[in-house]
Amino acid sequence: MNKKLIALALAALPAAAMADVTIYGTIKGGIESNKTYSSSLGFDSNGNPRSGVQVNDWISSIGFKGTEDLGSGLKAIWQVESRLHIDGTNGAGNKASSDGFATRDSFLGLAGDGWGKFRFGRLSNYANSDMEQVDPGSYFGGYSDESVAGLGMFTRLDGRVNNALRYDSPNWAGFSFALLYGTDESRVTGSNGSRTNNQTWNLGLSYENSGFFGKYNYENWGDADQLGTTKSWHRLEGGYNANNLYVALGYQQIEGYGFGSYYNSVLGAVTNLAVLNAGATQAQINASKLKTKEAAFTVGYSFGPLTPYFTYAKGYNASLNGTDISNSGYDQYLLSLNYAMSKRTSVYTSAGTVKWKGGISSENSFGLGLIHSF
């Protein structure tokens, strides 16, 4: 048989098999000027962060999804979504864990017209999939990454759970809920000689009507008494998004043991400050109960294709074993502007600063970039 005909036949097979597959994604990134403790730009001789210009990806992704009608209102649903880095940093540094195929929400499940949907795979917790209204911007995401031109610290627990099961209810007159369970498949033996049980439970509640919304997220982790682990997390968000006006408020409380990655891998200076204030060693602090409280507020208004935003976030003093650690909080201020060039392409710019208490240097970021959805 003619080789060209064979090639054409083979090329046609995937097209026929993927006739019901939707390809979607977002490509976004920009130029940033950063001066942060978590930046790869390093520190000066006094331990203060250095400033520099970087080309950064702002969490680009590509996904494939589809459905099959099984009859009687029942559908099979599936999705495979992956993280992309348009700045060429795939697999580098603290971004390595987010790279690869199916690193974002990827699942298989069933959906019904009257009972909602059930999925299993790698799935977002409720805060990551249905909240973050207080953080509408685009930036080099994650509290452990360079930029503070977004609420990366406030949203530090928003993420995905491996080996997860999730049920999402239908909408009942504006009310809905979601329930997620993440298993601990490894059950490795811990330092105390017992097997781990790091399962997690996550509940999300929502009400949306006439532009008003209110949402609640609760997550609990097993083995919460292990060092450096999170025990429980509550977040509330509410606001209004209609008639060109955008208003969102959020409050969260996180409890666990030790400062963990919230301070240790982001701001060693804050950890040192806490050690001094608490009059304890680092090991003693890591074994102590930690509680953090934060609030955030965002307001925006659309003038045709232009939407400016102002955001303020406050981290209150952390407490260890019920005692406040003085000067361990922060204040964050953000200004951002989105210009919609079309339905799928926009220009985005933002400037942010985090002011830490206790004489620790402020962090600053400025970014200008493009966003395109397909």
Side-chain angles (χ1 to χ4, degrees):
M1 184 182 291
N2 189 294
K3 292 183 178 179
K4 290 185 178 181
L5 292 178
I6 295 175
L8 288 172
L10 292 175
L13 286 176
M18 297 176 60
D20 62 341
V21 175
T22 299
I23 302 175
Y24 67 96
T26 304
I27 306 296
K28 51 185 177 179
I31 303 170
E32 289 189 342
S33 175
N34 291 314
K35 183 181 179 182
T36 68
Y37 279 96
S38 52
S39 172
S40 58
L41 297 166
F43 305 90
D44 61 21
S45 58
N46 296 318
N48 296 317
R50 298 180 187 274
S51 61
V53 176
Q54 301 171 299
V55 175
N56 286 327
D57 178 84
W58 290 348
I59 312 183
S60 301
S61 63
I62 185 170
F64 306 86
K65 62 182 178 181
T67 64
E68 182 186 7
D69 192 342
L70 302 176
S72 302
L74 186 65
K75 293 180 180 180
I77 57 175
W78 66 271
Q79 177 177 295
V80 177
E81 188 173 303
S82 305
R83 174 78 158 90
L84 302 175
H85 290 281
I86 64 169
D87 58 350
T89 56
N90 291 50
N94 54 24
K95 294 172 282 296
S97 62
S98 66
D99 291 327
F101 197 63
T103 47
R104 291 171 64 83
D105 283 38
S106 301
F107 57 81
L108 184 63
L110 296 171
D113 292 339
W115 58 267
K117 60 183 177 182
F118 171 79
R119 297 168 290 163
F120 61 92
R122 176 170 167 81
L123 298 164
S124 285
N125 57 25
Y126 189 76
N128 193 54
S129 62
D130 293 80
M131 299 179 75
E132 296 189 355
Q133 274 84 351
V134 292
D135 188 23
S138 296
Y139 55 99
F140 196 10
Y143 71 93
S144 60
D145 285 322
E146 276 81 350
S147 178
V148 295
L151 298 187
M153 285 181 289
F154 188 86
T155 61
R156 62 188 180 274
L157 293 184
D158 301 18
R160 295 171 178 85
V161 180
N162 290 334
N163 310 311
L165 308 170
R166 175 166 164 164
Y167 168 73
D168 290 73
S169 76
N171 188 298
W172 297 296
F175 291 94
S176 62
F177 76 92
L179 183 64
L180 178 145
Y181 171 67
T183 67
D184 177 14
E185 292 190 355
S186 59
R187 298 300 305 274
V188 298
T189 302
S191 57
N192 59 1
S194 62
R195 296 177 70 199
T196 63
N197 192 15
N198 293 317
Q199 79 284 344
T200 181
W201 288 94
N202 177 224
L203 172 67
L205 305 174
S206 175
Y207 176 73
E208 299 181 71
N209 190 17
S210 302
F212 293 95
F213 62 87
K215 296 175 180 288
Y216 169 72
N217 172 88
Y218 172 74
E219 190 161 358
N220 180 276
W221 287 264
D223 285 352
D225 58 344
Q226 302 296 312
L227 301 185
T229 59
T230 305
K231 176 183 178 182
S232 62
W233 167 36
H234 301 264
R235 181 190 292 170
L236 282 169
E237 288 186 9
Y240 179 80
N241 184 17
N243 302 314
N244 297 335
L245 179 63
Y246 187 98
V247 180
L249 300 94
Y251 174 83
Q252 71 179 10
Q253 177 178 297
I254 302 170
E255 294 184 87
Y257 284 75
F259 277 86
S261 56
Y262 177 55
Y263 288 117
N264 288 345
S265 66
V266 180
L267 281 173
V270 176
T271 301
N272 294 334
L273 179 69
V275 171
L276 293 174
N277 276 279
T281 65
Q282 183 66 63
Q284 289 173 323
I285 284 188
N286 287 342
S288 302
K289 291 183 179 180
L290 166 71
K291 179 185 291 186
T292 59
K293 299 178 180 179
E294 295 157 280
F297 167 75
T298 292
V299 60
Y301 192 86
S302 296
F303 302 89
L306 289 171
T307 306
Y309 296 96
F310 168 75
T311 298
Y312 169 69
K314 181 176 184 61
Y316 299 94
N317 285 338
S319 66
L320 284 170
N321 294 327
T323 301
D324 278 359
I325 303 299
S326 61
N327 296 319
S328 60
Y330 68 87
D331 293 284
Q332 184 172 9
Y333 303 88
L334 301 170
L335 284 174
S336 59
L337 178 67
N338 188 84
Y339 172 63
M341 302 178 69
S342 69
K343 290 183 178 180
R344 296 188 296 171
T345 302
S346 60
V347 178
Y348 181 80
T349 183
S350 64
T353 183
V354 174
K355 296 185 177 181
W356 293 91
K357 299 178 181 179
I360 301 169
S361 294
S362 297
E363 300 181 275
N364 302 286
S365 287
F366 171 78
L368 174 64
L370 289 170
I371 301 170
H372 177 76
S373 299
F374 59 91

